[in-house]
Amino acid sequence: NAGVTQTPKFRILKIGQSMTLQCAQDMNHNYMYWYRQDPGMGLKLIYYSVGAGITDKGEVPNGYNVSRSTTEDFPLRLELAAPSQTSVYFCASSHKGSGANVLTFGAGSRLTVL
Amino acid sequence: GEDVEQSLFLSVREGDSSVINCTYTDSSSTYLYWYKQEPGAGLQLLTYIFSNMDMKQDQRLTVLLNKKDKHLSLRIADTQTGDSAIYFCAESILRAGGYQKVTFGIGTKLQVIP
């Protein structure tokens, strides 16, 4: 049981390049999320998904796209990288239930755009 | 809207108690959470409390919830150097379709001095 796996751990991009951050979970969780973390700013929600085929915008979706074709995978796409997208990105997942919404996080992907 | 606030920094001596405070704005929160983030890692759940409870204790951790003042605190007894980390307060609010939206604070960095 690996939990939430993110790849790559580190990446340097040039302005205007594109890339996809991969996220996979093996806990059969319905909900999946992408956050970015900037120093002193906490976590900002980029996109989330409540199930396969369903995605919705979070607080800071501009410049990103997501898809959820399977329960396990939730990739985050950056189409035209900008320096403002330099950040640490976290994928998370949680189980749909009647109790607390406990998120399981991946280890993070550090992206630098130069 | 939902807003969660916490101070940025706390320094304590090893063996003392640490108290990390958090305030939130939405009175319809269903659960309140504390997550811990160690350097270079993702967030991990420490504990959570249902909104109709006043207190929850789990070994060295005590969570106090004052719903009237919308104030949550995390007390760590006998603080150890291994407790040095960033601590995030979070709340969840029930949305349409049974989805519990989670909002995080900016995190409090706890420094434990040997």
Side-chain angles (χ1 to χ4, degrees):
Chain A
N1 190 339
V4 177
T5 303
Q6 292 182 232
T7 55
K9 290 193 185 315
F10 303 94
R11 182 75 187 268
I12 298 175
L13 281 181
K14 293 183 180 177
I15 294 172
Q17 284 187 319
S18 300
M19 77 159 297
T20 300
L21 298 176
Q22 302 290 346
C23 175
Q25 53 93 8
D26 61 359
M27 297 170 284
N28 202 31
H29 283 169
N30 303 90
Y31 300 149
M32 295 189 75
Y33 315 81
W34 274 106
Y35 289 90
R36 59 177 286 172
Q37 183 180 30
D38 301 299
M41 301 295 289
L43 292 170
K44 298 292 184 186
L45 182 65
I46 305 171
Y47 271 96
Y48 69 100
S49 168
V50 298
I54 306 169
T55 63
D56 211 344
K57 295 178 181 178
E59 301 170 79
V60 290
N62 291 345
Y64 306 95
N65 278 301
V66 292
S67 59
R68 184 98 182 268
S69 56
T70 67
T71 299
E72 294 79 19
D73 300 298
F74 191 41
L76 177 71
R77 177 104 180 134
L78 285 72
E79 288 295 347
L80 290 170
S84 62
Q85 293 177 305
T86 294
S87 189
V88 181
Y89 291 85
F90 288 99
C91 179
S93 70
S94 66
H95 174 67
K96 179 182 180 181
S98 57
N101 188 10
V102 176
L103 274 62
T104 300
F105 283 82
S109 298
R110 182 176 292 273
L111 176 67
T112 302
V113 182
L114 300 173
Chain B
E2 310 91 10
D3 194 19
V4 179
E5 294 188 355
Q6 46 183 139
S7 55
L8 283 176
F9 191 75
L10 177 66
S11 180
V12 299
R13 293 214 170 269
E14 189 174 19
D16 288 348
S17 292
S18 308
V19 179
I20 302 171
N21 294 301
C22 168
T23 57
Y24 59 98
T25 56
D26 200 315
S27 57
S28 59
S29 299
T30 50
Y31 291 89
L32 288 303
Y33 311 77
W34 286 104
Y35 284 80
K36 178 183 181 181
Q37 184 184 31
E38 297 185 351
L43 279 69
Q44 281 192 302
L45 180 75
L46 275 180
T47 187
Y48 65 87
I49 186 168
F50 187 42
S51 59
N52 69 355
M53 294 174 62
D54 300 322
M55 185 180 89
K56 181 178 181 180
Q57 191 148 3
D58 184 2
Q59 299 182 334
R60 292 190 297 123
L61 305 179
T62 303
V63 177
L64 294 178
L65 175 61
N66 182 328
K67 199 168 181 181
K68 173 176 168 289
D69 293 338
K70 301 189 189 69
H71 183 268
L72 181 75
S73 67
L74 174 69
R75 179 177 180 269
I76 305 172
D78 187 23
T79 312
Q80 303 297 307
T81 54
D83 295 323
S84 293
I86 301 175
Y87 291 81
F88 289 88
C89 173
E91 63 171 351
S92 62
I93 298 166
L94 190 61
R95 289 284 180 256
Y99 169 63
Q100 292 218 37
K101 181 184 175 185
V102 179
T103 301
F104 288 89
I106 62 172
T108 299
K109 186 172 184 177
L110 175 64
Q111 180 188 46
V112 182
I113 303 166

